[in-house]
């Protein structure tokens, strides 16, 4: 039986496990070949790579983890692909180890912290993009009310910055601050992360309130999270304009919405 301290950290582990994988992986698996997206990603890391990297962040330092990613980049892997196809499934694997009592929750939490360190370490390189626009659009990113801090949202922010968007917010922004920001600053889009432990009952009214007080009265709202991967129709039922299953698709959807 898990201790009270372990139970306290259960929402954090579930959020990281639930958000990263659905949003960052599932949408592209079925449709990517037809759309030609696989070519954009280049070579995909194998399951052996995923398990090796997961073991690395469990047992070694953040420096070693960053060195592993750097070596794969030197081998020709795209950094974007490594974000979506290596870091994300490795984080899921870590969550599964904890859920199955195969790994101590402290070790898993520290390992996930090392994954976040890798994202921060490569952020300057990842954000460099020759295709970034000069007509900067603005997006407000935030967790839904009651949502835990999200590594998935952290990764989504990287993709938007890389694409030339001006990003405000991110993981950990209080819901009351989101309302204030939307009312006082112009945003083309608001992106909301609703993870596995987030209650959806009040989300529709919260989104409606954001719209009613937004400085941009035609602001677009996009929802992301595991709820919307398996049931994308939930997004429109909750009053959003779109949903996306991974960080790259989130940028594409936001571009479409902003172009309106």
């Amino acid at each position: 039986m898990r201790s009270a301290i372990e139970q306290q950290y259960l929402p954090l582990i579930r959020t990281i496990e639930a958000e990263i994988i659905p949003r960052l992986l599932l949408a592209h698996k079925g449709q990517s070949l037809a759309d030609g997206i696989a070519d954009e990603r280049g070579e995909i890391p194998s399951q052996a790579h995923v398990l090796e990297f997961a073991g690395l962040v469990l047992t070694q330092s953040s420096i070693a983890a960053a060195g592993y990613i750097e070596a794969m980049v030197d081998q020709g892997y795209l950094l974007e692909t490594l974000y979506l196809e290596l870091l994300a499934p490795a984080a899921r694997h870590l969550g599964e180890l904890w859920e199955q009592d195969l790994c101590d929750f402290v070790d898993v939490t520290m390992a996930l912290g090392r994954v976040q360190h890798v994202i921060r370490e490569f952020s300057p390189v990842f954000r460099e993009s020759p295709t970034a626009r000069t007509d900067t659009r603005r997006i407000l990113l935030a967790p839904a009310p009651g949502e835990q801090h999200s590594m998935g949202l952290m990764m989504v922010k990287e993709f938007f910055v890389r694409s030339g968007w001006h990003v405000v917010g991110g993981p950990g922004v209080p819901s009351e601050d989101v309302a204030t920001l939307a009312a006082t600053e112009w945003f083309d889009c608001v992106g909301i992360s609703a993870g596995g432990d987030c209650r959806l009952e009040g989300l529709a009214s919260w989104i409606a309130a954001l719209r009613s007080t937004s400085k941009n009265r035609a602001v677009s709202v996009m929802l992301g999270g595991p709820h919307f991967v398996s049931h994308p129709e939930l997004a429109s039922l909750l009053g959003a304009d779109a949903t996306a299953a991974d960080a790259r698709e989130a940028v594409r959807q936001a571009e479409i919405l902003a172009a309106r």
Side-chain angles (χ1 to χ4, degrees), residues 145 199-208 238:
R199 296 183 178 181
L200 299 181
E201 293 84 358
L203 191 53
S205 59
W206 188 69
I207 291 174
L238 291 170

Side-chain angles (χ1 to χ4, degrees), residues 18-200:
E19 281 199 4
I20 292 175
I21 301 311
R23 189 187 300 120
L24 300 181
L25 295 176
L26 294 182
H28 285 294
K29 294 301 184 184
Q31 194 64 31
S32 62
L33 292 178
D35 292 343
I37 295 174
D39 291 336
E40 296 179 12
R41 293 183 294 175
E43 187 176 358
I44 307 300
S46 67
Q47 180 64 14
H49 284 121
V50 172
L51 296 178
E52 186 176 16
F53 182 75
L56 184 70
V57 295
L58 266 175
T59 60
Q60 299 190 39
S61 67
S62 300
I63 296 175
Y68 186 92
I69 298 300
E70 185 174 3
M72 294 197 72
V73 170
D74 290 341
Q75 294 172 32
Y77 287 90
L78 299 178
L79 190 55
E80 176 178 341
T81 300
L82 295 177
Y83 273 26
L84 296 174
E85 305 288 352
L86 180 66
L87 271 63
R92 178 180 64 177
H93 178 67
L94 292 169
E96 290 171 349
L97 291 178
W98 187 84
E99 288 288 341
Q100 297 168 15
D101 283 327
L102 297 176
C103 193
D104 184 84
F105 87 104
V106 173
D107 292 335
V108 170
T109 302
M110 292 180 66
L112 292 170
R114 294 182 186 113
V115 177
Q116 289 182 305
H117 174 86
V118 169
I119 296 175
R120 290 191 296 268
E121 181 75 16
F122 287 91
S123 178
V125 176
F126 180 78
R127 290 182 177 190
E128 293 178 359
S129 173
T131 60
R133 298 182 323 274
T134 56
D135 58 323
T136 303
R137 289 172 176 161
R138 293 170 55 84
I139 184 168
L140 173 60
L141 295 178
E147 179 60 282
Q148 300 292 323
H149 294 190
S150 164
M151 192 167 75
L153 193 59
M154 175 183 178
M155 193 176 291
V156 167
K157 181 175 182 177
E158 292 294 305
F159 274 75
F160 271 100
V161 173
R162 182 173 184 256
S163 298
W165 284 70
H166 178 76
V167 181
V168 175
V173 178
S175 55
E176 57 270 20
D177 289 355
V178 176
T180 301
L181 286 167
T184 56
E185 299 185 33
W186 177 280
F187 295 102
D188 298 278
C189 186
V190 177
I192 301 169
S193 170
D197 63 337
C198 178
R199 296 183 178 181
L200 299 181

